Amino acid sequence: MKVAELIEKRRRNWQELEALCTSMEMRRKKKMGARAVSRFASLYRAACADLALADSYQLPPNIVEYLHQLVGRAHNQLYRSRSIDWTGLVYNLFVSTPRHIFADRCVQLCFFLFFGFFILSWVLAANPYLYPGFADEVVGRDSLDMMVEMHRDSVGHSGVSPSGATSYVQHNTSIGLQCFALGITVIGGIGTLMFNATYLGTVFGHMSSPTVPDAVRDNFFEFVLAHGPFELTAIVLAAGAGLRLGMALISPRHWKSELEPGEDPQPDEDIFSKTRLLAFDRIDSLKIASWRSLPIMGASATLFCLAAMIEAWISPSALPVEVKITVMIFCSFLLMIYFIVLGFPRGGESATR
């Protein structure tokens, strides 16, 4: 077949593909219909073959250039989507992220360390006969007295100004960033987490001890119970995200079965190789861990902000204590549903080392 005949025979298909490209650029693919999209894919494959033939048979340069542009334009329409993938977004938010956080060993370690020290400190500070002077040694007498004075009238106000809410967000963010940043050093992150757990547990224990007036005790727990679930969980997640990065630097090894397709340097179909532990450069290991810690830190930041909003407008308000208890129960229910019910592993999923 002569070159002119070949070009003339294929030109109609190229023009049809060009028209479909224009149509897809003007409107969404879903509105084109399945038949048009299927025709588009068929014409795209044919154009790719024509381009290969044009290069092989050294067709006129203007034809080769035209086909290059046409194939590139069709490729962009076929494989690139400018619309938001809502299905993928919902799947990542409600399936992948909670399962990933639930299975992360760094988050699990931080959870048990934080609440272990928190409860132990609470018990020791609330029962002075077990460890006389424990609260004074941990928090300091001046800080305890200041805490008591602050909560003599900490509830029953009409509300907090936006500047007050901003200060709560700033305070919570500083705690989260401190736990996250020091977590990269591993020891620093664990130490900061244990300090916060001990400090907060001691304050809670001291406020529930018989040495504190009943009115102050009631005000304190009415103030903290609404935002407490979100804030304490956010501290644990921030420390877990930082510790994930620190562990990637200390031990730059990852199970082959945990790697994403683009992260595996030796992708293969051998099921036995999935159990191998691969060693990476520390920079590459840190990159992998950063993707692992990103959803954890995102959840932590979200919880810190929500806790700050509750702390600003609900905790000190004159709302009945029953309303604040309801908020606490609702927040705890959401945490349980998201991190435990949605996050519980299914189908043989294993924990992230």
Side-chain angles (χ1 to χ4, degrees):
M1 182 181 294
K2 294 181 179 179
V3 173
E5 294 175 351
L6 175 64
I7 294 174
E8 189 60 31
K9 183 178 180 181
R10 307 298 296 171
R11 186 183 301 278
R12 184 174 300 174
N13 289 344
W14 300 341
Q15 291 173 344
E16 184 181 358
L17 178 61
E18 192 172 0
L20 286 174
C21 283
T22 304
S23 179
M24 294 183 74
E25 289 169 352
M26 298 296 293
R27 55 182 178 174
R28 298 180 63 181
K29 295 175 186 172
K30 291 181 179 178
K31 295 182 178 179
M32 292 186 63
R35 182 172 295 180
V37 174
S38 177
R39 178 62 177 165
F40 177 85
S42 176
L43 291 171
Y44 167 69
R45 290 193 296 270
C48 290
D50 292 342
L51 176 59
L53 287 174
D55 280 328
S56 299
Y57 288 98
Q58 297 182 345
L59 294 186
N62 61 326
I63 298 296
V64 176
E65 179 65 22
Y66 169 76
L67 286 174
H68 268 294
Q69 294 179 358
L70 181 60
V71 168
R73 189 180 171 190
H75 179 276
N76 290 340
Q77 293 303 318
L78 191 62
Y79 294 106
R80 293 182 184 179
S81 175
R82 289 176 294 180
S83 60
I84 298 176
D85 184 6
W86 292 105
T87 303
L89 185 63
V90 170
Y91 183 85
N92 286 331
L93 186 60
F94 293 104
V95 178
S96 299
T97 299
R99 290 185 185 179
H100 169 71
I101 294 175
F102 183 91
D104 194 291
R105 292 276 171 79
C106 292
V107 174
Q108 294 172 2
L109 175 63
C110 290
F111 176 84
F112 288 111
L113 279 177
F114 181 84
F115 285 103
F117 276 84
F118 179 82
I119 294 173
L120 178 62
S121 302
W122 186 331
V123 172
L124 292 177
N127 301 280
Y129 60 87
L130 292 176
Y131 192 130
F134 176 79
D136 291 345
E137 293 182 10
V138 174
V139 180
R141 174 46 54 184
D142 294 339
S143 297
L144 292 174
D145 293 340
M146 184 178 67
M147 193 73 67
V148 170
E149 289 299 320
M150 183 176 72
H151 285 284
R152 288 190 185 280
D153 60 347
S154 58
V155 296
H157 303 293
S158 58
V160 174
S161 64
S163 62
T166 303
S167 69
Y168 283 123
V169 172
Q170 184 179 13
H171 175 259
N172 289 349
T173 302
S174 66
I175 295 176
L177 289 177
Q178 187 181 36
C179 292
F180 175 75
L182 292 176
I184 299 177
T185 65
V186 180
I187 298 299
I190 292 176
T192 303
L193 179 74
M194 292 167 59
F195 168 78
N196 280 294
T198 305
Y199 189 93
L200 292 173
T202 302
V203 170
F204 274 66
H206 175 73
M207 286 297 182
S208 60
S209 68
T211 60
V212 175
D214 292 343
V216 175
R217 183 185 309 118
D218 294 342
N219 285 346
F220 173 78
F221 284 104
E222 183 178 342
F223 181 83
V224 300
L225 57 83
H227 66 270
F230 280 172
E231 187 169 338
L232 298 183
T233 305
I235 293 174
V236 171
L237 293 178
L243 186 61
R244 165 61 51 205
L245 297 181
M247 291 302 298
L249 291 175
I250 290 180
S251 177
R253 298 180 300 168
H254 299 269
W255 291 105
K256 192 176 177 66
S257 58
E258 297 174 356
L259 297 175
E260 299 293 336
E263 299 169 346
D264 191 347
Q266 300 170 346
D268 52 53
E269 300 298 330
D270 184 2
I271 59 174
F272 297 104
S273 66
K274 297 293 182 183
T275 60
R276 285 196 292 126
L277 197 59
L278 300 181
F280 288 80
D281 292 336
R282 282 185 165 76
I283 295 298
D284 293 335
S285 177
L286 188 62
K287 290 178 180 176
I288 294 173
S290 64
W291 282 109
R292 303 286 189 274
S293 66
L294 193 60
I296 305 174
M297 199 58 201
S300 173
T302 302
L303 292 179
F304 269 128
C305 291
L306 292 175
M309 296 299 106
I310 296 173
E311 189 173 3
W313 279 291
I314 295 180
S315 297
S317 70
L319 290 171
V321 68
E322 289 81 6
V323 174
K324 299 176 183 178
I325 292 175
T326 303
V327 172
M328 179 200 68
I329 294 174
F330 181 69
C331 294
S332 302
F333 176 76
L334 290 180
L335 291 174
M336 185 183 69
I337 291 293
Y338 190 77
F339 291 112
I340 297 179
V341 176
L342 296 181
F344 196 81
R346 276 91 164 169
E349 294 178 356
S350 57
T352 304
R353 183 178 65 91

